[in-house]
């Protein structure tokens, strides 16, 4: 079953705007990761946040984690047309032997 | 970063034939690889965990006799879809854990399988 549910399912914004995607999960986690997938391609790791962390930055990416609400958000600032892709959150549950469970994904379209 | 190579990128086959997909870690040794299946505009569903030198661990609902996984070396895992049928048509993706990469996965580029 799906561990994570993402919101929104699809998001369309203008270049330069910020994009925010949310992810909710159900079980206790060791860490939460965000991945990006271009159409018909494999996934690329973006950022990992551990269960004892609340916020993390990497370039134009900002990730927050609220373990009390079992939710995370990914913010992409100053978006570019090249950011158009599907974004997935994935969780490593506590004691899961490093197995990732993926959310349903958000399709982001950045219009030039 | 670590590179995972997956071949072929796409394959079209007739119903009843078998198809083998290869997943190679090019610059690191991967004791554990994962195989996922993805339907259009959907998330990745874990099919099985492939462990070098031992039997794969399949997720509930995945037929191990249908989806044969072999992880014979530290750099190669293969997924064979046996007696493929149209309902097996899907996007299959492998991934691997790089020993020094922590918890993050490195993914192959995926294989689009179309069964006629």
């Amino acid at each position: 079953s799906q561990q994570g549910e993402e919101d929104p399912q699809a998001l369309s914004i203008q270049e330069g705007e910020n994009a925010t995607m949310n992810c909710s999960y159900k079980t206790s986690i060791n860490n939460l990761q965000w991945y990006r997938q271009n159409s018909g391609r494999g996934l690329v790791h973006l950022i990992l946040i551990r269960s004892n962390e609340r916020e993390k930055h990497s370039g134009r990416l900002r990730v927050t984690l609220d373990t009390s609400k079992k939710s995370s958000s990914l913010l992409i600032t100053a978006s570019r047309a090249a950011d158009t892709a599907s974004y997935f959150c994935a969780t490593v549950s506590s004691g899961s032997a490093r197995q990732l469970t993926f959310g349903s994904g958000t399709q982001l379209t950045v219009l030039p | 970063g670590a590179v995972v190579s997956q071949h072929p990128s796409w394959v079209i086959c007739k119903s009843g034939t078998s198809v083998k997909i290869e997943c190679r870690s090019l610059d690191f040794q991967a004791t554990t690889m994962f195989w996922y299946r993805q339907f259009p505009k959907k998330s990745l569903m874990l099919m099985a965990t492939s462990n070098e030198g031992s039997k794969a661990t399949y997720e509930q609902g995945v037929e191990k006799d249908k989806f044969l996984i072999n992880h014979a070396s530290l750099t190669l895992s293969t997924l064979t879809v046996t007696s493929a049928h149209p309902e097996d048509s899907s996007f299959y993706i492998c991934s691997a854990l790089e020993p020094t990469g922590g918890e993050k996965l490195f993914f192959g580029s995926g294989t689009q399988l179309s069964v006629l």
Side-chain angles (χ1 to χ4, degrees):
Chain A
S1 62
Q2 290 295 317
Q3 163 73 313
E5 295 298 325
E6 292 178 63
D7 165 55
Q9 290 188 340
L11 178 62
S12 185
I13 59 174
Q14 293 292 136
E15 206 165 28
E17 294 180 339
N18 296 341
T20 300
M21 291 160 267
N22 302 295
C23 167
S24 60
Y25 56 92
K26 298 175 184 175
T27 65
S28 296
I29 61 169
N30 180 289
N31 64 73
L32 184 145
Q33 303 176 36
W34 285 89
Y35 287 81
R36 166 197 167 122
Q37 183 183 32
N38 285 69
S39 181
R41 305 293 293 173
L43 278 72
V44 175
H45 180 269
L46 295 176
I47 196 167
L48 180 154
I49 187 165
R50 299 198 179 280
S51 59
N52 61 352
E53 298 176 309
R54 292 296 168 260
E55 188 171 313
K56 207 162 184 179
H57 298 255
S58 176
R60 293 184 296 114
L61 305 180
R62 173 179 167 242
V63 169
T64 63
L65 178 65
D66 187 334
T67 53
S68 66
K69 295 181 180 178
K70 291 188 168 58
S71 67
S72 174
S73 67
L74 171 67
L75 168 67
I76 303 174
T77 60
S79 63
R80 306 166 183 168
D83 294 330
T84 295
S86 291
Y87 291 82
F88 293 91
C89 69
T91 54
V92 176
S93 297
S94 303
S96 72
R98 306 166 87 187
Q99 205 174 75
L100 276 175
T101 304
F102 284 84
S104 51
T106 293
Q107 172 61 51
L108 173 65
T109 302
V110 182
L111 303 169
Chain B
V3 178
V4 174
S5 175
Q6 184 173 342
H7 291 280
S9 297
W10 56 270
V11 57
I12 301 173
C13 69
K14 291 183 178 180
S15 188
T17 61
S18 294
V19 174
K20 179 185 282 189
I21 303 169
E22 291 189 349
C23 182
R24 293 180 185 274
S25 55
L26 296 187
D27 50 1
F28 65 98
Q29 293 183 329
T31 55
T32 303
M33 290 186 175
F34 302 94
W35 286 95
Y36 292 86
R37 181 173 181 177
Q38 186 180 30
F39 293 100
K41 298 186 178 181
K42 296 292 184 182
S43 186
L44 282 74
M45 300 296 295
L46 179 65
M47 298 175 66
T49 301
S50 172
N51 301 296
E52 188 269 335
S54 64
K55 291 183 179 180
T57 304
Y58 289 82
E59 294 299 299
Q60 192 172 11
V62 178
E63 300 175 60
K64 60 182 181 182
D65 295 330
K66 173 76 170 176
F67 299 100
L68 299 179
I69 291 172
N70 186 295
H71 195 155
S73 78
L74 285 170
T75 59
L76 174 64
S77 176
T78 61
L79 168 67
T80 301
V81 183
T82 62
S83 187
H85 288 93
E87 58 266 30
D88 299 324
S89 297
S90 190
F91 192 62
Y92 294 88
I93 313 177
C94 71
S95 66
L97 280 166
E98 195 268 335
T100 62
E103 305 286 352
K104 64 183 180 183
L105 288 177
F106 294 91
F107 282 83
S109 54
T111 298
Q112 180 63 53
L113 171 64
S114 297
V115 185
L116 305 177

